Amino acid sequence: QVQLVESGGGLVQPGGSLRLSCAASGSIFSIIRMGWYRQAPGKQRDMVATITEVGYRNYADSVKGRFTISRDNAKNTVYLQMNSLKPEDTAVYYCYADVITIGTRMSYTAWGQGTQVTVSS
């Protein structure tokens, strides 16, 4: 199986910055796409940013120009640099990875446990 471990969440003032990290480990042959979703209380889980194995990026309109997603394929790790944070960015942020596993070469989506980001003064 594949495990995703997130880190970097916390409390930050409006206008501040945070950097999230997510490392994948386990029976990984390749990771097609990695990314971040977020879920605020009482709301659905929404895509924030994704990045493919070759570096193609996609962002939600609400974070364009403020958030940057990057990836280290050698470390199976994805990062989310969040700048100019706003109170409406407050949510639990979940990392995910579309993985091809060693052996069976089956594909499936793995999720992290989530990390809380709170933007408040």
Side-chain angles (χ1 to χ4, degrees), residues 4-65:
L4 301 180
V5 178
E6 301 143 334
S7 60
L11 173 64
V12 63
Q13 293 186 343
S17 298
L18 281 175
R19 188 189 194 214
L20 304 182
S21 300
C22 172
S25 62
S27 301
I28 298 170
F29 175 74
S30 67
I31 303 178
I32 300 168
R33 181 181 287 106
M34 300 185 80
W36 297 89
Y37 277 63
R38 67 186 181 186
Q39 187 167 22
K43 296 188 177 181
Q44 66 181 19
R45 188 177 297 189
D46 292 325
M47 188 277 291
V48 176
T50 64
I51 184 168
T52 68
E53 193 170 16
V54 296
Y56 178 79
R57 295 169 173 84
N58 188 37
Y59 295 96
D61 288 342
S62 59
V63 307
K64 284 180 180 177

Coordinates of all heavy atoms in Angstrom, one line a residue, residues 4-65:
L4 N 0.6 8.5 2.7 CA 0.9 9.9 2.5 C 1.0 10.6 3.8 O 0.0 10.5 4.6 CB -0.1 10.6 1.6 CG -0.4 10.1 0.2 CD1 -1.5 10.9 -0.5 CD2 0.9 10.1 -0.6
V5 N 2.1 11.3 4.1 CA 2.2 12.0 5.4 C 2.4 13.5 5.1 O 3.4 13.9 4.4 CB 3.5 11.5 6.1 CG1 3.7 12.3 7.4 CG2 3.3 10.0 6.4
E6 N 1.5 14.3 5.7 CA 1.5 15.7 5.4 C 2.1 16.4 6.6 O 2.1 15.9 7.8 CB 0.1 16.2 5.3 CG -0.7 15.6 4.1 CD -2.1 15.4 4.4 OE1 -2.5 15.2 5.6 OE2 -2.9 15.3 3.5
S7 N 2.6 17.6 6.4 CA 3.1 18.5 7.4 C 3.1 19.9 7.0 O 3.0 20.2 5.8 CB 4.6 18.1 7.8 OG 5.4 18.2 6.7
G8 N 3.2 20.8 7.9 CA 3.3 22.2 7.6 C 2.1 23.1 7.9 O 2.2 24.3 7.7
G9 N 1.0 22.5 8.4 CA -0.2 23.3 8.7 C 0.1 24.1 9.9 O 1.1 24.0 10.6
G10 N -0.9 25.0 10.3 CA -0.8 25.8 11.5 C -1.7 27.0 11.4 O -2.5 27.1 10.6
L11 N -1.4 27.9 12.4 CA -2.1 29.2 12.5 C -1.2 30.3 11.9 O -0.1 30.4 12.3 CB -2.5 29.4 13.9 CG -3.1 30.8 14.3 CD1 -4.4 31.0 13.6 CD2 -3.1 31.0 15.8
V12 N -1.8 31.1 11.1 CA -1.1 32.2 10.5 C -2.0 33.4 10.4 O -3.3 33.3 10.2 CB -0.5 31.8 9.1 CG1 -1.6 31.5 8.1 CG2 0.4 32.9 8.6
Q13 N -1.5 34.6 10.4 CA -2.3 35.8 10.3 C -2.6 36.1 8.8 O -1.8 35.7 7.9 CB -1.5 37.0 10.9 CG -1.3 37.0 12.4 CD -0.7 38.2 13.0 OE1 -0.1 39.0 12.2 NE2 -0.8 38.4 14.3
P14 N -3.7 36.8 8.6 CA -4.0 37.2 7.2 C -2.8 37.9 6.5 O -2.1 38.7 7.2 CB -5.2 38.1 7.3 CG -5.8 37.7 8.6 CD -4.7 37.3 9.5
G15 N -2.5 37.5 5.3 CA -1.3 38.1 4.6 C -0.1 37.3 4.8 O 0.9 37.5 4.1
G16 N -0.1 36.3 5.7 CA 1.1 35.5 6.0 C 1.2 34.3 5.0 O 0.5 34.2 4.0
S17 N 2.2 33.5 5.3 CA 2.6 32.4 4.4 C 2.7 31.1 5.2 O 3.1 31.1 6.4 CB 3.9 32.7 3.6 OG 3.8 33.8 2.8
L18 N 2.5 30.0 4.5 CA 2.7 28.7 5.0 C 3.2 27.8 3.9 O 2.8 28.0 2.7 CB 1.5 28.1 5.6 CG 1.0 28.5 7.1 CD1 -0.3 27.8 7.4 CD2 2.1 28.1 8.1
R19 N 3.9 26.8 4.2 CA 4.3 25.8 3.2 C 3.9 24.4 3.7 O 4.4 23.9 4.7 CB 5.8 25.8 3.0 CG 6.3 25.0 1.8 CD 7.8 24.9 1.8 NE 8.3 24.4 0.5 CZ 9.4 23.6 0.4 NH1 10.1 23.3 1.5 NH2 9.8 23.2 -0.8
L20 N 3.1 23.7 2.9 CA 2.7 22.4 3.2 C 3.6 21.4 2.4 O 4.0 21.7 1.3 CB 1.2 22.1 2.8 CG 0.2 23.1 3.4 CD1 -1.2 22.7 3.0 CD2 0.3 23.1 4.9
S21 N 3.8 20.2 3.0 CA 4.6 19.2 2.4 C 3.8 17.9 2.5 O 3.1 17.7 3.5 CB 6.0 19.0 3.1 OG 6.7 20.2 3.0
C22 N 4.0 17.0 1.6 CA 3.4 15.7 1.6 C 4.3 14.7 1.0 O 4.6 14.8 -0.2 CB 2.0 15.7 0.9 SG 1.2 14.1 0.7
A23 N 4.7 13.7 1.7 CA 5.6 12.7 1.3 C 4.9 11.3 1.1 O 4.2 10.9 2.0 CB 6.8 12.5 2.2
A24 N 5.0 10.7 0.0 CA 4.4 9.4 -0.3 C 5.5 8.3 -0.1 O 6.6 8.5 -0.5 CB 3.9 9.4 -1.7
S25 N 5.0 7.2 0.4 CA 5.9 6.0 0.6 C 5.1 4.7 0.4 O 3.9 4.7 0.5 CB 6.6 6.1 2.0 OG 5.6 6.0 3.0
G26 N 5.8 3.7 0.2 CA 5.2 2.4 0.0 C 5.5 1.7 -1.3 O 6.5 2.0 -1.9
S27 N 4.6 1.0 -1.8 CA 4.7 0.2 -3.1 C 4.4 1.0 -4.3 O 3.5 0.8 -5.0 CB 3.8 -1.0 -3.0 OG 4.1 -1.9 -1.9
I28 N 5.3 2.0 -4.5 CA 5.1 3.0 -5.6 C 5.9 2.7 -6.8 O 7.2 2.6 -6.7 CB 5.4 4.4 -5.1 CG1 4.5 4.8 -3.9 CG2 5.3 5.4 -6.2 CD1 4.9 6.1 -3.2
F29 N 5.3 2.5 -7.9 CA 6.0 2.3 -9.2 C 6.1 3.7 -9.8 O 7.2 4.1 -10.3 CB 5.2 1.4 -10.1 CG 5.8 1.3 -11.5 CD1 7.0 0.6 -11.7 CD2 5.2 2.0 -12.6 CE1 7.6 0.6 -13.0 CE2 5.8 1.9 -13.9 CZ 7.0 1.2 -14.1
S30 N 5.0 4.5 -9.8 CA 5.1 5.8 -10.3 C 3.9 6.6 -9.7 O 2.9 6.0 -9.3 CB 5.0 5.9 -11.8 OG 3.8 5.5 -12.3
I31 N 4.0 7.9 -9.7 CA 2.9 8.8 -9.2 C 2.5 9.7 -10.4 O 3.3 10.6 -10.8 CB 3.2 9.6 -8.0 CG1 3.7 8.7 -6.9 CG2 2.1 10.4 -7.6 CD1 4.1 9.4 -5.6
I32 N 1.3 9.4 -10.9 CA 0.9 10.2 -12.1 C 0.6 11.6 -11.8 O 1.0 12.5 -12.5 CB -0.4 9.5 -12.7 CG1 -0.1 8.1 -13.1 CG2 -0.9 10.3 -13.9 CD1 -1.3 7.3 -13.5
R33 N -0.1 11.8 -10.7 CA -0.5 13.2 -10.3 C -0.5 13.3 -8.8 O -0.9 12.3 -8.1 CB -1.9 13.5 -10.9 CG -2.3 15.0 -10.6 CD -3.7 15.2 -11.1 NE -3.7 15.4 -12.6 CZ -4.1 14.5 -13.5 NH1 -4.6 13.3 -13.0 NH2 -4.0 14.7 -14.7
M34 N -0.1 14.4 -8.3 CA -0.2 14.7 -6.8 C -0.9 16.0 -6.7 O -0.8 16.9 -7.6 CB 1.2 14.7 -6.2 CG 2.0 13.4 -6.2 SD 3.5 13.5 -5.3 CE 2.9 13.2 -3.6
G35 N -1.4 16.3 -5.5 CA -2.1 17.6 -5.3 C -2.7 17.7 -4.0 O -2.5 16.9 -3.1
W36 N -3.4 18.8 -3.9 CA -4.0 19.2 -2.6 C -5.5 19.6 -2.8 O -5.9 20.2 -3.8 CB -3.3 20.4 -2.0 CG -1.9 20.2 -1.7 CD1 -0.8 20.3 -2.5 CD2 -1.4 19.7 -0.5 NE1 0.3 20.0 -1.9 CE2 0.0 19.6 -0.6 CE3 -1.9 19.4 0.8 CZ2 0.9 19.2 0.4 CZ3 -1.1 19.0 1.8 CH2 0.3 18.9 1.6
Y37 N -6.3 19.1 -1.9 CA -7.7 19.5 -1.8 C -7.9 20.1 -0.4 O -7.0 20.0 0.5 CB -8.6 18.3 -1.9 CG -9.0 17.9 -3.3 CD1 -8.0 17.4 -4.2 CD2 -10.3 17.9 -3.8 CE1 -8.3 17.0 -5.5 CE2 -10.6 17.5 -5.0 CZ -9.6 17.1 -5.9 OH -9.9 16.7 -7.2
R38 N -8.9 20.8 -0.2 CA -9.2 21.4 1.1 C -10.7 21.3 1.4 O -11.5 21.4 0.5 CB -8.7 22.8 1.2 CG -9.4 23.9 0.4 CD -8.8 25.2 0.5 NE -9.4 26.2 -0.3 CZ -9.0 27.5 -0.5 NH1 -7.8 27.8 0.0 NH2 -9.6 28.3 -1.3
Q39 N -11.0 21.3 2.7 CA -12.4 21.2 3.1 C -12.6 22.1 4.3 O -12.0 21.8 5.4 CB -12.8 19.7 3.4 CG -14.2 19.5 3.7 CD -14.6 18.1 3.7 OE1 -13.8 17.2 3.9 NE2 -15.9 17.8 3.5
A40 N -13.4 23.1 4.2 CA -13.8 23.9 5.3 C -15.0 23.4 6.0 O -15.8 22.6 5.4 CB -14.1 25.3 4.8
P41 N -15.3 23.7 7.3 CA -16.4 23.2 8.0 C -17.7 23.4 7.3 O -18.0 24.5 6.8 CB -16.4 24.0 9.3 CG -14.9 24.3 9.5 CD -14.4 24.6 8.1
G42 N -18.5 22.4 7.1 CA -19.8 22.5 6.5 C -19.8 22.6 5.0 O -20.8 22.8 4.3
K43 N -18.6 22.4 4.4 CA -18.5 22.6 2.9 C -17.9 21.3 2.3 O -17.3 20.5 3.0 CB -17.6 23.8 2.6 CG -18.2 25.1 3.0 CD -17.4 26.3 2.5 CE -18.0 27.6 2.8 NZ -17.2 28.8 2.3
Q44 N -18.0 21.2 1.0 CA -17.4 20.0 0.3 C -15.9 20.2 0.2 O -15.4 21.3 0.3 CB -18.1 19.9 -1.1 CG -17.8 21.0 -2.0 CD -18.5 20.8 -3.4 OE1 -19.4 20.1 -3.5 NE2 -17.9 21.5 -4.4
R45 N -15.3 19.1 -0.1 CA -13.9 19.1 -0.4 C -13.6 19.5 -1.8 O -14.1 19.0 -2.8 CB -13.3 17.7 -0.2 CG -11.8 17.6 -0.2 CD -11.3 16.2 0.1 NE -11.6 15.8 1.4 CZ -11.1 14.6 2.0 NH1 -10.3 13.9 1.3 NH2 -11.5 14.3 3.2
D46 N -12.8 20.6 -2.0 CA -12.5 21.2 -3.3 C -11.1 21.1 -3.6 O -10.2 21.1 -2.8 CB -12.9 22.7 -3.2 CG -14.4 22.9 -3.1 OD1 -15.2 22.1 -3.7 OD2 -14.8 23.9 -2.5
M47 N -10.8 21.0 -4.9 CA -9.4 21.0 -5.4 C -8.8 22.3 -5.2 O -9.4 23.4 -5.5 CB -9.4 20.6 -6.9 CG -8.1 20.4 -7.5 SD -7.2 21.9 -8.1 CE -8.3 22.4 -9.4
V48 N -7.5 22.3 -4.8 CA -6.8 23.5 -4.6 C -5.7 23.6 -5.7 O -5.6 24.6 -6.4 CB -6.0 23.5 -3.3 CG1 -5.1 24.8 -3.1 CG2 -7.0 23.5 -2.1
A49 N -4.9 22.6 -5.9 CA -3.9 22.6 -6.9 C -3.4 21.1 -7.2 O -3.4 20.3 -6.3 CB -2.7 23.4 -6.4
T50 N -3.0 20.9 -8.4 CA -2.5 19.6 -8.8 C -1.3 19.7 -9.7 O -1.1 20.8 -10.3 CB -3.6 18.7 -9.5 OG1 -3.9 19.4 -10.8 CG2 -4.8 18.5 -8.7
I51 N -0.5 18.7 -9.7 CA 0.7 18.7 -10.6 C 1.0 17.3 -11.1 O 0.9 16.3 -10.3 CB 1.9 19.3 -9.8 CG1 3.2 19.4 -10.7 CG2 2.2 18.5 -8.5 CD1 4.3 20.2 -10.1
T52 N 1.2 17.2 -12.4 CA 1.5 15.9 -12.9 C 3.0 15.5 -12.8 O 3.8 16.3 -12.4 CB 1.1 15.9 -14.4 OG1 2.0 16.7 -15.1 CG2 -0.3 16.3 -14.6
E53 N 3.3 14.3 -13.2 CA 4.6 13.8 -13.1 C 5.6 14.6 -13.9 O 6.8 14.8 -13.6 CB 4.7 12.3 -13.6 CG 6.0 11.6 -13.2 CD 5.8 10.1 -13.5 OE1 4.9 9.7 -14.2 OE2 6.7 9.4 -13.0
V54 N 5.1 15.2 -15.0 CA 6.0 16.1 -15.9 C 5.9 17.5 -15.6 O 6.4 18.4 -16.3 CB 5.7 15.8 -17.4 CG1 6.1 14.3 -17.7 CG2 4.3 16.1 -17.7
G55 N 5.1 17.9 -14.5 CA 5.1 19.3 -14.1 C 4.0 20.1 -14.5 O 4.0 21.4 -14.3
Y56 N 3.0 19.6 -15.2 CA 1.8 20.4 -15.6 C 1.0 20.7 -14.3 O 0.6 19.8 -13.6 CB 1.0 19.6 -16.6 CG -0.3 20.4 -17.0 CD1 -0.2 21.5 -17.9 CD2 -1.5 20.1 -16.4 CE1 -1.3 22.2 -18.2 CE2 -2.6 20.9 -16.7 CZ -2.5 21.9 -17.7 OH -3.6 22.6 -18.0
R57 N 0.7 22.0 -14.1 CA 0.0 22.5 -12.9 C -1.4 23.0 -13.2 O -1.6 23.5 -14.3 CB 0.8 23.6 -12.3 CG 2.2 23.2 -11.7 CD 3.0 24.4 -11.4 NE 4.3 24.1 -10.7 CZ 5.4 23.7 -11.4 NH1 5.4 23.6 -12.7 NH2 6.5 23.4 -10.7
N58 N -2.2 22.8 -12.2 CA -3.6 23.3 -12.3 C -4.0 23.8 -11.0 O -3.7 23.2 -9.9 CB -4.6 22.1 -12.7 CG -5.9 22.6 -13.0 OD1 -6.1 23.7 -13.6 ND2 -6.9 21.9 -12.6
Y59 N -4.6 25.0 -11.0 CA -5.0 25.7 -9.7 C -6.5 26.1 -9.7 O -7.0 26.4 -10.8 CB -4.2 27.0 -9.6 CG -2.7 26.8 -9.4 CD1 -1.8 26.9 -10.5 CD2 -2.1 26.6 -8.1 CE1 -0.5 26.8 -10.3 CE2 -0.8 26.4 -8.0 CZ 0.1 26.5 -9.1 OH 1.4 26.4 -8.9
A60 N -7.0 26.1 -8.5 CA -8.4 26.6 -8.4 C -8.2 28.2 -8.6 O -7.2 28.8 -8.2 CB -8.9 26.4 -7.0
D61 N -9.3 28.7 -9.2 CA -9.3 30.2 -9.4 C -9.0 31.0 -8.2 O -8.3 32.0 -8.2 CB -10.6 30.6 -10.1 CG -10.7 30.1 -11.5 OD1 -9.7 29.8 -12.1 OD2 -11.9 30.1 -12.0
S62 N -9.5 30.5 -7.0 CA -9.4 31.3 -5.8 C -8.0 31.4 -5.2 O -7.7 32.2 -4.4 CB -10.3 30.6 -4.7 OG -9.9 29.3 -4.5
V63 N -7.1 30.5 -5.7 CA -5.7 30.6 -5.2 C -4.7 30.9 -6.3 O -3.5 31.1 -5.9 CB -5.3 29.2 -4.6 CG1 -6.4 28.8 -3.6 CG2 -5.1 28.1 -5.7
K64 N -5.1 31.1 -7.5 CA -4.1 31.5 -8.6 C -3.4 32.8 -8.2 O -4.0 33.8 -7.8 CB -4.9 31.7 -9.9 CG -5.2 30.4 -10.5 CD -6.0 30.6 -11.9 CE -6.3 29.3 -12.5 NZ -7.1 29.5 -13.8
G65 N -2.1 32.8 -8.4 CA -1.3 34.0 -8.1 C -0.9 34.1 -6.6 O 0.0 34.9 -6.3

